[in-house]
Amino acid sequence: MALNVGPLRKVFELEREKGYADTAVIGGLDKFLRRWAAQAVASITTPRFLADFKKLHLDDARYASLNQEQRKKLIADIFAFLESTKEEKTVEKPLPGKRVTPPRRRTVAAPQATGQSLDLPVTTLHGVSTAMAAKFKKLGVETIRDLLYFFPHRHLDYSRTNYISELTEGEEQTITANVWQAQVTMLGGRRGTEAIVGDETGNVRAVWFNNPYIAKSLPTNARVVLSGRVRLFGGRYVFESPEWELLEDKELVHTGRLVPLYSLTQGLKPRQVRKLMKQVVDRFAGQVADFLPPSLRERCKLVELPQAIFQAHYPEDEAAKNNARVRLAFDELFLLQLGVLGRKHEWQESQPGNPVSVEKPMLESFIKSLPFELTPAQQKVLKELLADLEKPVAMSRLLQGEVGSGKTVVATAALLAAAASGYQGAFMAPTEILAEQHFSSVSEVLSRTASKVEEEDNLRRFSGLLSRPLTLALLIGDLSQASKQAIQQLIRDGDIDIIIGTHALIQKEVDFHKLGLVVVDEQHRFGVAQRSALRQKGFNPHVLVMTATPIPRTLALTLYGDLDLSVIDELPPGRQTIKTRWLKQAQRASAYAFLKKQVAEGRQAFIICPLVEESEAIQARAAVAEYERLSRDVFPDLKLGLIHGRLSAAEKDKVMHRFRAGELDILVSTPVVEVGIDVPNATVMLVESADRFGLSQLHQFRGRVGRGSQQSYCMLLAENPSEIGRARLDLIEKIQDGFQLAEEDLKLRGPGEFFGTRQSGLPDLRMARLSDVKLLELARAEAIRLFEQDPGLKKAEHRLLSAELARVWQPGGELT
Ligand code: ADP
Ligand code: MG
């Protein structure tokens, strides 16, 4: 018998689950049963089974007219029949593929054996050519399992069928009709297809522009299903390029149901992919092993994995689709959570931390020397940090604080505490400009309590604060090889206490003598992989990651479940709301005039050049051109400076220095100033092509002004923003609060993209959404519970889970 009974079983199980309501199959079970009977009769070869099968009388099924008891009996009989045939090899027909796969011996319920076929390349499927596989590969799909997890981004609801007489304009609807005539015809000057179809209530025309081939596929008198919208044309309805499908002896794929829409590019055709997907889920979804322990699955009321995968593609109805999504989103969040918990456990248990003994009087005199008082939020966070540092377990903390909330000074205090206790501290910034700024501002605050005894380009020594001199160094990529090596040597020897730099700091050649604390600034993408690399330096330093990208608490806990969370939730007193306006091209001249007026009042301004391309060279060129244009044509009387990624560190430093000292009125810049730059006298931020930046990036730009006591302004130039660009501009005009903006940003982008989970070495989130707060909490609670019972996932019932975890957690070591 060559019947594919997997999907059949599922239908009958579903019907049983739903209380024999004749709802397992769209359109009722009868048609389905008759169809199945015809196939079965043709394929059952054993006479005994054939006789048994005929007793079921399915070729003339009247399920709809049976009462519940009778239905129950019939389904039970069918199951009994399927059971009895198990003795015969119920082997599924292998899909004919281009490559002949060696026949595999299958023992019936052996998940390992069947599971293996999920890892076969997509080319083993019937109809998948090498060319098509190459296209799939670009979408990240290589194996059959990848295909199963290649979910549609939405579904079209073609499930409601209408009679032709019931059609109305505008809505998506489906009809089943006879083809009276289909022919190639000229439509809008090009060859297309026109068909007339009819049912018992009337006739309707359907046209497909630009597609003469369909005519051949619609023979007269064929039964066809059309799904789509109709338009009124010359007083009559016309289907315009509807989805179509012949009503043959098979389940509907493109019409008459919830039809999946896949986000495709790479030249893959939607119909082709949909058909392939149907084949794949029918045949393989049932082979996916459910890795969740059954007790957990039941407690959380989640549907089984094969069912979820099936329904995520070809859902029965909205409810089934939703249940499927919930299950799959739970999986993502749960595995993520298990992974981060595992890492935290590894770090904290495998190596002891380095307790810092905090020198309170020294810190107090440092804090007293500051030109301002710490805000209560800064004080609270500093206390949390110091408490962590004193513990013999390595700190893993995320510090969130709105742009301008004063994170740097808090981090500086923590670095000082570590230095006073004999440890080295590293302060990492995302860009060289920012590293340089930190170097000069930390030097500046230190020189308020200590006296500078030595000053070289990249080195400062202070005395009077610690019992020995305190040494601060700057290490960035474009230092000369000699000075880099000199500093690296000093770091190795333990002659540098606080080392400030870019990510060059965690590259291999930097060997710390006694690294006690690492501060990572402005890096919500500082991934798990990077953090673990720090710990492999033979030491287990305390780690503080700082970000101005506020992450909703639950999400932060989920994505950074290995980090504790501190928040600076207030700005220093006296800060103002920054007036933010989105301007059109026509308002450019008045924007420039306004900027001139501000400069005349002694203020300074930033102009951010458009984001041309990822290439630094191209960006630099565009910035140079813009700088020249502005200097010559727009602001001939003002002093302009230019900064871009192609300048050497010394050149950048010089420009920043002049801007900070007030020698320049306007700083023209590529988007490199995005984070962290602090010039209190600057009051105008003008961003070109503002619609091309993300919300948090725009918020960061805006955060460069409003740092002093003067009213500040953010002007966003955007001519023809896309829909999403417009949405972002509207939001940033209205909302000042970074947290609220981040929430909105998440809604626009979805968590996966928001966090750049790929870059951070975290598994992808495809099904999980920001609004899934309850599910997030559930996943976290379950992960903690499981982790407490069986941290190594060693128990037999967790074997599948452990394998799944290993499969999704493959954080790359992307450290350069
Ligand atoms: P961010 O949190 O965005 O990194 P910074 O640390 O750069 O912010 O601080 C922004 C500005 O606020 C700096 O000029 C800093 O000196 C100043 N600042 C920090 N804390 C306070 C405070 N408590 N009162 C007044 N100004 C402060
Ligand atoms: Mg900062």
Side-chain angles (χ1 to χ4, degrees):
M1 187 165 96
L3 262 188
N4 184 358
V5 295
L8 285 175
R9 235 171 231 292
K10 240 181 275 158
V11 168
F12 298 130
E13 272 163 15
L14 190 71
E15 178 63 15
R16 192 164 58 183
E17 248 169 56
K18 292 189 153 192
Y20 308 101
D22 199 10
T23 50
V25 182
I26 296 162
L29 228 58
D30 278 329
K31 241 187 339 190
F32 173 84
L33 288 173
R34 286 177 210 162
R35 207 163 65 212
W36 179 52
Q39 282 176 18
V41 168
S43 56
I44 297 176
T45 46
T46 317
R48 182 164 58 91
F49 290 140
L50 194 59
D52 285 349
F53 184 77
K54 291 212 161 152
K55 281 187 210 146
L56 296 169
H57 297 295
L58 296 180
D59 49 338
D60 184 28
R62 294 265 181 271
Y63 190 77
S65 60
L66 299 181
N67 67 29
Q68 207 195 10
E69 269 316 301
Q70 293 166 321
R71 288 177 178 184
K72 193 168 166 185
K73 166 133 193 344
L74 179 59
I75 301 278
D77 288 347
I78 293 175
F79 272 118
F81 170 74
L82 292 176
E83 267 323 290
S84 74
T85 62
K86 268 194 180 167
E87 302 152 27
E88 202 187 10
K89 293 175 294 271
T90 48
V91 174
E92 293 155 36
K93 204 186 329 184
L95 291 179
K98 293 230 145 167
R99 261 177 234 162
V100 183
T101 45
R104 276 164 292 140
R105 187 180 298 179
R106 283 208 210 160
T107 41
V108 178
Q112 297 93 326
T114 48
Q116 264 169 20
S117 61
L118 298 178
D119 294 319
L120 291 176
V122 293
T123 43
T124 50
L125 294 169
H126 177 60
V128 179
S129 61
T130 342
M132 191 172 179
K135 291 172 184 168
F136 267 121
K137 187 166 179 192
K138 291 197 181 140
L139 297 168
V141 173
E142 295 183 52
T143 63
I144 292 170
R145 186 194 305 275
D146 294 340
L147 269 180
L148 289 174
Y149 275 86
F150 184 67
F151 298 118
H153 67 283
R154 69 185 187 97
H155 289 85
L156 291 175
D157 188 356
Y158 290 153
S159 61
R160 279 160 297 143
T161 342
N162 289 72
Y163 285 115
I164 289 177
S165 63
E166 298 169 332
L167 289 173
T168 49
E169 206 173 353
E171 267 173 69
E172 282 167 352
Q173 34 205 337
T174 297
I175 58 165
T176 306
N178 267 335
V179 178
W180 299 136
Q181 187 189 43
Q183 61 189 21
V184 177
T185 182
M186 293 305 281
L187 293 167
R190 310 187 65 167
R191 279 152 50 85
T193 296
E194 176 185 40
I196 310 289
V197 304
D199 65 9
E200 52 263 55
T201 68
N203 295 338
V204 68
R205 206 157 70 96
V207 294
W208 289 268
F209 296 99
N210 244 334
N211 199 337
Y213 309 103
I214 293 175
K216 274 206 279 305
S217 314
L218 297 175
T220 301
N221 283 332
R223 300 277 289 158
V224 69
V225 183
L226 299 183
S227 287
R229 294 173 206 270
V230 290
R231 284 230 267 155
L232 212 47
F233 197 77
R236 290 164 171 238
Y237 286 130
V238 181
F239 270 101
E240 285 190 352
S241 302
E243 283 292 345
W244 62 276
E245 193 163 5
L246 290 182
L247 191 59
E248 295 164 325
D249 280 343
K250 62 183 170 70
E251 241 183 289
L252 294 174
V253 173
H254 309 289
T255 59
R257 59 173 309 143
L258 287 172
V259 174
L261 282 186
Y262 297 93
S263 339
L264 295 171
T265 46
Q266 310 300 342
L268 288 163
K269 295 196 193 77
R271 272 180 83 86
Q272 182 189 23
V273 171
R274 229 181 264 147
K275 219 171 115 199
L276 173 72
M277 282 309 219
K278 186 66 172 56
Q279 263 185 52
V280 169
V281 293
D282 277 349
R283 182 152 151 60
F284 295 99
Q287 294 187 23
V288 177
D290 198 331
F291 53 83
L292 286 185
S295 57
L296 186 159
R297 202 170 51 71
E298 274 152 35
R299 190 166 51 238
C300 300
K301 301 198 174 51
L302 299 165
V303 296
E304 286 177 33
L305 186 53
Q307 180 73 355
I309 292 177
F310 191 88
Q311 297 287 340
H313 291 275
Y314 281 93
E316 198 105 13
D317 51 31
E318 283 294 329
K321 184 177 94 177
N322 205 41
N323 289 339
R325 195 196 70 81
V326 165
R327 161 68 209 252
L328 294 164
F330 178 89
D331 285 359
E332 291 174 352
L333 298 168
F334 180 65
L335 290 167
L336 189 67
Q337 203 49 230
L338 273 182
V340 289
L341 288 173
R343 259 143 223 273
K344 181 175 189 175
H345 180 78
E346 228 170 82
W347 292 335
Q348 299 200 327
E349 304 299 312
S350 63
Q351 285 184 57
N354 303 283
V356 166
S357 59
V358 174
E359 258 187 52
K360 295 248 157 61
M362 181 278 299
L363 272 185
E364 269 156 26
S365 81
F366 166 72
I367 288 163
K368 243 194 242 125
S369 77
L370 295 170
F372 44 73
E373 263 187 49
L374 293 184
T375 60
Q378 283 173 314
Q379 289 175 26
K380 183 191 79 194
V381 167
L382 181 56
K383 237 165 123 185
E384 287 169 357
L385 297 186
L386 297 178
D388 274 4
L389 292 180
E390 287 185 311
K391 288 185 198 148
V393 174
M395 165 171 81
S396 276
R397 198 168 270 281
L398 176 67
L399 170 53
Q400 291 186 12
E402 176 67 287
V403 178
S405 61
K407 295 183 288 292
T408 319
V409 68
V410 174
T412 308
L415 287 163
L416 269 183
S421 185
Y423 291 105
Q424 290 176 305
F427 193 171
M428 300 189 355
T431 63
E432 298 200 341
I433 293 185
L434 201 53
E436 287 156 33
Q437 176 184 291
H438 283 330
F439 181 64
S440 66
S441 69
V442 172
S443 302
E444 203 268 329
V445 290
L446 286 180
S447 60
R448 289 170 173 272
T449 43
S451 40
K452 223 182 285 177
V453 289
E454 213 175 296
E455 170 161 4
E456 289 168 32
D457 273 356
N458 298 299
L459 210 70
R460 307 266 189 283
R461 254 185 244 280
F462 299 90
S463 70
L465 192 61
L466 308 186
S467 52
R468 58 192 158 83
L470 173 80
T471 311
L472 192 69
L474 176 67
L475 181 62
I476 48 181
D478 68 5
L479 292 182
S480 75
Q481 205 52 34
S483 36
K484 231 192 253 177
Q485 277 166 3
I487 290 185
Q488 282 164 5
Q489 188 58 48
L490 290 173
I491 295 174
R492 256 194 301 279
D493 296 344
D495 281 343
I496 290 175
D497 299 291
I498 299 175
I499 168 93
I500 298 177
T502 56
H503 294 168
L505 275 190
I506 54 166
Q507 275 161 4
K508 288 180 209 68
E509 60 271 29
V510 184
D511 269 330
F512 288 89
H513 177 69
K514 204 180 171 192
L515 184 60
L517 169 64
V518 179
V519 178
V520 186
D521 191 24
E522 297 296 358
Q523 223 10 343
H524 61 282
R525 287 187 178 173
F526 190 70
V528 176
Q530 284 95 329
R531 269 180 269 141
S532 70
L534 282 175
R535 285 168 164 105
Q536 280 152 18
K537 285 197 168 291
F539 222 67
N540 197 7
H542 299 286
V543 176
L544 175 66
V545 180
M546 307 202 293
T547 177
T549 305
I551 302 162
R553 187 178 173 87
T554 350
L555 262 186
L557 285 175
T558 301
L559 292 172
Y560 298 104
D562 59 321
L563 298 178
D564 299 308
L565 188 62
S566 288
V567 183
I568 303 186
D569 52 6
E570 66 187 321
L571 293 176
R575 295 278 164 80
Q576 303 175 1
T577 39
I578 298 156
K579 296 196 171 144
T580 307
R581 284 281 304 280
W582 161 27
L583 304 175
K584 294 279 185 70
Q585 197 62 20
Q587 293 157 293
R588 175 182 294 273
S590 60
Y592 288 151
F594 179 79
L595 205 148
K596 268 184 206 159
K597 213 169 107 230
Q598 285 283 307
V599 172
E601 287 171 21
R603 307 282 89 79
Q604 290 165 284
F606 292 97
I607 296 181
I608 306 296
C609 296
L611 184 68
V612 210
E613 254 183 69
E614 290 301 316
S615 147
E616 270 201 4
I618 296 175
Q619 289 217 10
R621 225 178 303 136
V624 170
E626 179 68 357
Y627 165 78
E628 283 168 359
R629 185 185 76 84
L630 290 168
S631 311
R632 190 180 56 229
D633 304 339
V634 187
F635 305 111
D637 307 329
L638 304 185
K639 293 185 291 290
L640 274 64
L642 171 65
I643 199 153
H644 59 70
R646 275 300 171 102
L647 297 179
S648 72
E651 287 167 316
K652 277 188 251 183
D653 197 35
K654 207 165 114 199
V655 177
M656 279 315 299
H657 192 82
R658 293 184 63 203
F659 188 62
R660 208 170 283 138
E663 291 167 31
L664 297 173
D665 303 313
I666 298 174
L667 185 64
V668 179
S669 169
T670 51
V672 289
V673 297
E674 181 193 343
V675 284
I677 297 296
D678 185 39
V679 180
N681 190 46
T683 57
V684 185
M685 166 59 68
L686 187 144
V687 183
E688 292 280 354
S689 306
D691 53 318
R692 302 195 48 187
F693 296 101
L695 264 185
S696 32
Q697 226 178 340
L698 290 174
H699 185 60
Q700 276 281 0
F701 286 138
R702 177 166 65 182
R704 296 312 105 216
V705 297
R707 300 193 146 229
S709 53
Q710 305 292 331
Q711 175 61 53
S712 295
Y713 307 87
C714 177
M715 301 191 280
L716 305 168
L717 279 163
E719 185 52 24
N720 265 321
S722 63
E723 200 178 320
I724 188 162
R726 185 184 301 269
R728 284 198 294 254
L729 292 166
D730 282 342
L731 287 169
I732 192 134
E733 267 193 333
K734 275 193 291 231
I735 300 173
Q736 291 275 333
D737 180 70
F739 260 87
Q740 219 181 321
L741 272 177
E743 293 269 359
E744 298 295 336
D745 206 11
L746 270 168
K747 281 186 207 154
L748 288 179
R749 294 204 275 172
E753 199 185 333
F754 181 84
F755 293 106
T757 47
R758 270 176 196 285
Q759 290 94 316
S760 24
L762 293 168
D764 248 4
L765 297 179
R766 301 177 188 185
M767 286 298 203
R769 297 186 197 137
L770 171 66
S771 50
D772 290 332
V773 176
K774 285 251 157 56
L775 196 64
L776 278 164
E777 279 164 358
L778 181 67
R780 182 168 168 82
E782 287 294 340
I784 290 172
R785 177 179 178 145
L786 186 86
F787 199 79
E788 277 167 1
Q789 290 167 1
D790 183 15
L793 300 183
K794 297 271 193 300
K795 294 189 182 161
E797 66 262 38
H798 299 148
R799 189 175 48 87
L800 285 174
L801 179 58
S802 161
E804 183 69 11
L805 193 63
R807 223 167 44 71
V808 299
W809 268 86
Q810 306 167 318
E814 71 280 44
L815 291 178
T816 44

